[in-house]
Amino acid sequence: MASVKFQKASRVYPGGTVPAVDAIDLEIADGEFLVLVGPSGCGKSTTLRMLAGLEEVNGGQILIGDRDVTNIPPKDRDIAMVFQNYALYPHMTVAENMGFALKIAGVAKEERAARVLDAAKLLDLEPYLNRKPKALSGGQRQRVAMGRAIVRKPQVFLMDEPLSNLDAKLRVQTRTQIASLQRRLGVTTVYVTHDQVEAMTMGDRVAVLKDGVLQQVATPRELYETPKNVFVAGFIGSPAMNLLQLPIVEGGVQFGNTVVKIDRAVLSKTNAKLVTLGVRPENLVVSGNEGISVEVDVVEELGSDGYLYGSATIDGAHHELVSRVDGRDHPHKGDTVFLTPAGGIMHLFDVETGERLN
Amino acid sequence: MSQALDITAATVDPALLDLPWQLPLENWPAENIAALPKGLSRHTVRFAHLGKYVIAIKETLPDLAKREYELLKNLQKLDVPCVEPFAIIKNRSDDQGEELPAVLITRHLKFSLPYRAMWSQGLRADTATRLVDALALLLVRLHIAGFFWGDVSLSNTLFRRDAGSFAAYLVDAETGQLYESGLSNGQRENDLEIARVNIAGELMDLVASGRAGPGVDPNATSERIVNKYTELWKELTAAEVFNKDERWRITQRVERLNKLGFDIEELMIKTEANGRSVKIQPKVVDAGHHTRRLIRLTGLDVQENQARRLLNDLDAFRVKYGTVDDEEVLAHRWLSEVFEPVVKSIPREYSGRLEPAEIFHQVLEHRWFLAENQQKGIPLIDAVNSYVENVLAHRRDEEALLATPTEAITLPTAIPSGTIEADEDEEGDWRDKV
């Protein structure tokens, strides 16, 4: 096992001028499960492929443990791409399936048996070593595939959208299996996904990328509670955070017919007259007659609670807002309600730079 | 059936609408499918008859179907051997309105075989070697086109007989990606490593199943793809520096590539700063050197090695009869006096056994064999009759020989009911087999 370090690592495609990955600095701790997430084209897969040795690194370094692997071929990097189209061979036993790659790598027979046994113990597969994969359940088959990677004793596991070809139900199920296995094995893992829910539920930490630039690396909770900029604020969380550009006034920010109190020290960090104010749907509540006046478009009932989707006009501009409401006792389509941030949980961003202010 | 069936296809075949899209592929009735054992693939794949064609249908997610369809179309444009994308169908639902997976449809390649079906009596060692050689050539061609495969294996390839060798076609592009700017060395090495491990696994499985002939060595055979690929890649792409008065080396390089079946479309030639040496490097190479020459001369479109074989025979014909006529005229004479009579003398009931060019190649082989045995020249017509009676009549039809490309269980996958078998330990200690 080992840590991974990206030091100002960049990738510029031949003929391109804008880097696909721009001077990324990222440290992944030994045993950590780090998820790279971002919209399509953000550079997350390129970043993973740079670590795997599949993309040239045009600037900076990549280290696995203390070893600079920047210019080392993929097969000498001690990494394993996991779950990408693994096949289990039906006429071979579980032990053979797990160990055959060692055989072709020239590992001695006793060593092969010892490594297969170690992996089988870790994966609860010891009783099945002498069986064919057809006799195994789905989860067990998955673990045999993982076993194939484990016996090679890689320093790092890499997974590039391993669930993208599964339907929704199987995706959720497999997601849980992978996450719990990784925690048990404690192997440093870098996982790429475009799905922020997948990222938030699986990662110890999540790295958010956009346009080849690392936006924020933090625990799922930190990302949710203190997004570093407007992009992260809007990308993480579902339904997305409400983000409004509102005027700065004496004592705070004008929020419909009221002023939301904000510390002067926070607002003095920006020179603009406006500020981007973010409120998550669960922090935007229906109040008597204070806040922004919103016409209800629809209420999505999800059982114990629901989401109210409404529209408002602020300074002549149309805005859509989402608020979490009670699943049964809630306003209805066509009603006009006032929404206001509750409990002072707000996120403030500079309108120009998008950086967090509070 | 859903009213909103959404079909994307290059050529519209109305018969496509008659297939039972409202049923999951698993449940298609026997009259629609070409009967086949089901493989344990990540996706359900089945073959169906559509007019004169056989099509392969794969159930998958809509985005993946579209992606693979586009990718196969682009590979075809780049002239890389791969299966022909036919259609994608989305918005399927059953009679109860339940949503069904999208499907990707490809056209079955006539006379193509999966590696497992290559020899009904079991895979022979030299066949395995030739399959791997064909796969190495395919991989080089894909990499030259900028395609990273991600799942190189014998299972994801179909093979056509090619005058004693094989021609390989890419079947499954699900994990692949095209890079316009070309592949990095790391990507190529990774594909090669994936190929090596997969081939070893596939052959070990075949050995374990008892369907590999004696002498099939999974280790050595899988190692061979690395050597073969490296050798080819070097010949096709490496730069060469030589003394200015050794300019014949340019012609030599071109001839070597022709021999391997490639034409150089663009060659970089640079004189070095000292003025004494020259550097050459092929920049654009095109496979199909012999195929193209044969098409130009005869209009016959066949595999590369078949073309090589036919051209040899054509050249021999020219030596025998030609002096006055030019190449094209003689080629036409050869076509009507040699090739076509052989093909036409094959009884109609055997026409599905092998492709005509392959039959012609085998007839020539057979004639050589008879001549050796009898120590005298054999007229072509006698060779044809003997071949039909003693060889062709005993072969199976390969025009539409369908078989599951793999028996491997690809992961992650849902487990269809009934596929988990009773737990029985194998005999002996597991350590003996690791």
Side-chain angles (χ1 to χ4, degrees):
Chain A
M1 325 285 153
S3 62
V4 170
K5 285 192 197 96
F6 287 82
Q7 296 177 335
K8 299 253 172 299
S10 292
R11 169 66 174 146
V12 185
Y13 282 109
T17 44
V18 185
V21 170
D22 196 357
I24 280 199
D25 275 312
L26 178 60
E27 286 200 20
I28 303 159
D30 189 358
E32 189 176 16
F33 193 130
L34 183 105
V35 180
L36 296 168
V37 71
S40 147
C42 71
K44 56 189 186 296
S45 287
T46 308
T47 306
L48 188 85
R49 291 201 300 262
M50 286 160 74
L51 175 56
L54 305 184
E55 294 277 358
E56 234 174 276
V57 178
N58 306 106
Q61 274 100 44
I62 297 177
L63 280 77
I64 296 178
D66 296 326
R67 187 160 152 251
D68 184 345
V69 297
T70 316
N71 297 308
I72 289 179
K75 64 177 180 353
D76 301 328
R77 289 192 180 202
D78 252 359
I79 45 152
M81 286 282 228
V82 188
F83 272 168
Q84 239 188 353
N85 43 72
Y86 267 149
L88 297 187
Y89 298 107
H91 303 100
M92 289 159 46
T93 61
V94 166
E96 280 177 287
N97 265 291
M98 282 166 68
F100 84 89
L102 297 178
K103 204 176 199 171
I104 58 169
V107 176
K109 189 171 174 138
E110 275 183 20
E111 170 75 11
R112 294 202 298 263
R115 287 210 213 166
V116 166
L117 186 61
D118 282 350
K121 280 181 180 161
L122 267 173
L123 297 165
D124 287 336
L125 289 171
E126 204 186 342
Y128 308 104
L129 281 170
N130 210 14
R131 289 190 192 156
K132 300 278 169 64
K134 272 192 175 179
L136 304 183
S137 71
Q140 288 165 337
R141 289 179 190 179
Q142 207 86 261
R143 299 208 296 269
V144 177
M146 196 74 151
R148 254 180 80 173
I150 294 169
V151 295
R152 292 177 41 209
K153 297 195 175 172
Q155 304 271 20
V156 186
F157 282 153
L158 305 183
M159 307 191 193
D160 191 356
E161 302 256 14
L163 310 181
S164 60
N165 53 5
L166 303 184
D167 63 40
K169 195 174 141 204
L170 200 55
R171 196 152 59 217
V172 172
Q173 204 180 324
T174 313
R175 177 167 99 192
T176 320
Q177 285 169 0
I178 294 179
S180 72
L181 252 179
Q182 193 277 339
R183 305 245 132 89
R184 243 168 102 181
L185 299 172
V187 180
T188 314
T189 301
V190 185
Y191 184 106
V192 165
T193 178
H194 66 281
D195 180 347
Q196 59 94 15
V197 177
E198 207 167 293
M200 298 290 275
T201 51
M202 295 180 83
D204 291 325
R205 283 191 309 153
V206 176
V208 184
L209 282 101
K210 185 196 167 219
D211 299 335
V213 179
L214 189 57
Q215 305 291 314
Q216 186 171 7
V217 195
T219 62
R221 183 160 176 180
E222 271 178 86
L223 279 183
Y224 194 78
E225 291 179 350
T226 46
K228 233 183 106 202
N229 58 37
V230 171
F231 175 77
V232 177
F235 188 75
I236 298 291
S238 175
M241 183 189 286
N242 298 288
L243 291 162
L244 300 165
Q245 293 196 356
L246 299 172
I248 297 171
V249 293
E250 187 59 39
V253 173
Q254 190 71 43
F255 196 90
N257 63 11
T258 71
V259 173
V260 174
K261 280 192 194 113
I262 308 285
D263 198 345
R264 182 188 294 272
V266 171
L267 292 173
S268 68
K269 288 185 201 162
T270 176
N271 301 321
K273 292 195 166 58
L274 297 174
V275 71
T276 304
L277 184 145
V279 197
R280 295 221 176 263
E282 64 269 30
N283 305 125
L284 189 65
V285 299
V286 178
S287 68
N289 50 8
E290 279 196 355
I292 292 174
S293 161
V294 169
E295 185 178 336
V296 180
D297 295 326
V298 67
V299 176
E300 202 177 76
E301 289 188 358
L302 301 167
S304 65
D305 52 28
Y307 286 101
L308 177 158
Y309 293 82
S311 23
T313 306
I314 305 167
D315 280 340
H318 176 85
H319 289 273
E320 293 191 347
L321 291 162
V322 188
S323 152
R324 190 163 79 191
V325 291
D326 188 276
R328 280 178 293 269
D329 180 17
H330 57 70
H332 292 89
K333 181 176 160 55
D335 290 353
T336 298
V337 295
F338 283 88
L339 297 179
T340 188
I345 305 172
M346 275 170 294
H347 310 263
L348 293 159
F349 305 99
D350 189 305
V351 281
E352 263 138 42
T353 63
E355 291 301 305
R356 186 179 187 90
L357 299 172
N358 64 331
Chain B
M1 191 201 284
S2 157
Q3 293 301 302
L5 210 54
D6 174 0
I7 302 178
T8 310
T11 46
V12 184
D13 189 332
L16 204 56
L17 293 169
D18 299 334
L19 291 169
W21 299 115
Q22 76 284 9
L23 295 175
L25 216 41
E26 283 282 324
N27 305 339
W28 277 26
E31 73 240 36
N32 290 117
I33 53 161
L36 258 189
K38 286 177 240 173
L40 282 172
S41 163
R42 187 154 38 214
H43 309 289
T44 309
V45 180
R46 305 198 87 174
F47 295 95
H49 294 289
L50 185 75
K52 305 185 282 191
Y53 301 105
V54 173
I55 52 173
I57 308 168
K58 169 161 94 172
E59 278 184 343
T60 179
L61 302 177
D63 290 353
L64 293 182
K66 183 163 186 294
R67 188 177 170 279
E68 195 172 352
Y69 180 79
E70 299 291 336
L71 206 47
L72 287 171
K73 265 184 17 190
N74 285 331
L75 286 175
Q76 285 213 312
K77 277 183 207 149
L78 292 167
D79 207 19
V80 175
C82 61
V83 290
E84 189 187 333
F86 189 72
I88 26 181
I89 300 186
K90 295 185 281 190
N91 271 348
R92 288 170 68 213
S93 55
D94 66 14
D95 291 334
Q96 282 72 49
E98 285 286 312
E99 207 181 307
L100 291 173
V103 298
L104 169 70
I105 304 173
T106 52
R107 193 174 273 176
H108 173 71
L109 273 172
K110 277 189 182 177
F111 294 103
S112 68
L113 301 168
Y115 80 101
R116 309 184 73 93
M118 205 45 92
W119 242 267
S120 46
Q121 312 89 318
L123 187 72
R124 294 194 330 222
D126 63 329
T127 311
T129 306
R130 283 178 286 146
L131 292 175
V132 165
D133 288 357
L135 185 52
L137 176 61
L138 174 65
L139 193 58
V140 166
R141 289 184 65 181
L142 287 166
H143 284 176
I144 286 176
F147 182 79
F148 173 74
W149 194 339
D151 196 10
V152 192
S153 67
L154 293 169
S155 305
N156 285 338
T157 312
L158 280 173
F159 297 90
R160 269 177 170 168
R161 297 189 188 281
D162 185 11
S165 310
F166 294 102
Y169 288 76
L170 172 139
V171 180
D172 190 324
E174 195 179 302
T175 49
Q177 201 167 340
L178 259 176
Y179 292 85
E180 268 178 41
S181 51
L183 298 185
S184 69
N185 287 340
Q187 283 168 321
R188 293 193 302 107
E189 280 168 29
N190 194 47
D191 250 0
L192 208 49
E193 177 66 10
I194 291 169
R196 199 174 68 95
V197 174
N198 280 343
I199 292 169
E202 288 167 324
L203 293 180
M204 283 178 187
D205 189 56
L206 211 59
V207 171
S209 75
R211 276 179 293 169
V216 170
D217 179 349
N219 227 333
T221 315
S222 66
E223 196 60 49
R224 186 179 170 95
I225 194 165
V226 180
N227 301 330
K228 199 75 198 171
Y229 173 97
T230 313
E231 206 179 283
L232 262 173
W233 183 264
K234 194 175 155 212
E235 194 61 76
L236 291 174
T237 62
E240 217 177 318
V241 181
F242 44 81
N243 207 299
K244 221 169 85 180
D245 41 20
E246 291 180 294
R247 269 173 299 190
W248 49 270
R249 288 181 60 170
I250 299 179
T251 325
Q252 196 191 44
R253 179 73 178 263
V254 173
E255 281 169 4
R256 281 208 311 269
L257 285 181
N258 288 166
K259 232 175 161 177
L260 286 169
F262 286 83
D263 284 316
I264 296 185
E265 291 287 303
E266 198 181 312
L267 182 71
M268 181 205 77
I269 306 175
K270 267 189 187 161
T271 47
E272 300 282 283
N274 58 22
R276 282 193 300 275
S277 54
V278 179
K279 183 179 171 185
I280 61 166
Q281 187 173 22
K283 285 291 170 193
V284 184
V285 292
D286 247 351
H289 170 74
H290 298 97
T291 306
R292 269 191 297 276
R293 185 170 161 230
L294 188 71
I295 289 184
R296 184 172 60 77
L297 289 173
T298 65
L300 291 174
D301 188 2
V302 304
Q303 310 286 341
E304 182 66 11
N305 285 315
Q306 290 167 345
R308 196 191 301 256
R309 189 66 208 263
L310 266 52
L311 285 167
N312 277 341
D313 197 61
L314 173 57
D315 288 340
F317 181 83
R318 220 168 59 196
V319 170
K320 202 166 161 192
Y321 298 104
T323 39
V324 196
D325 291 338
D326 69 4
E327 199 180 35
E328 266 102 22
V329 175
L330 270 167
H332 276 275
R333 270 188 64 195
W334 172 84
L335 194 64
S336 57
E337 291 172 25
V338 182
F339 183 79
E340 282 171 353
V342 169
V343 172
K344 281 185 186 143
S345 56
I346 302 301
R348 187 183 289 266
E349 66 265 33
Y350 297 151
S351 65
R353 301 270 149 115
L354 292 167
E355 284 181 286
E358 190 65 20
I359 288 183
F360 187 79
H361 154 74
Q362 293 201 357
V363 166
L364 294 184
E365 294 273 280
H366 190 71
R367 178 160 72 161
W368 180 87
F369 168 80
L370 290 178
E372 280 287 294
N373 260 350
Q374 300 174 21
Q375 291 297 311
K376 61 169 190 187
I378 306 286
L380 193 56
I381 186 67
D382 294 350
V384 174
N385 291 337
S386 164
Y387 171 76
V388 169
E389 192 184 322
N390 299 310
V391 182
L392 199 60
H394 307 285
R395 291 188 68 107
R396 60 187 175 178
D397 265 14
E398 290 188 353
E399 184 172 14
L401 184 88
L402 305 172
T404 42
T406 179
E407 288 185 348
I409 304 165
T410 43
L411 290 171
T413 179
I415 304 223
S417 55
T419 59
I420 298 182
E421 291 181 354
D423 319 311
E424 281 282 318
D425 266 350
E426 300 294 308
E427 281 173 23
D429 189 344
W430 61 268
R431 286 172 190 79
D432 295 338
K433 290 192 197 149
V434 171

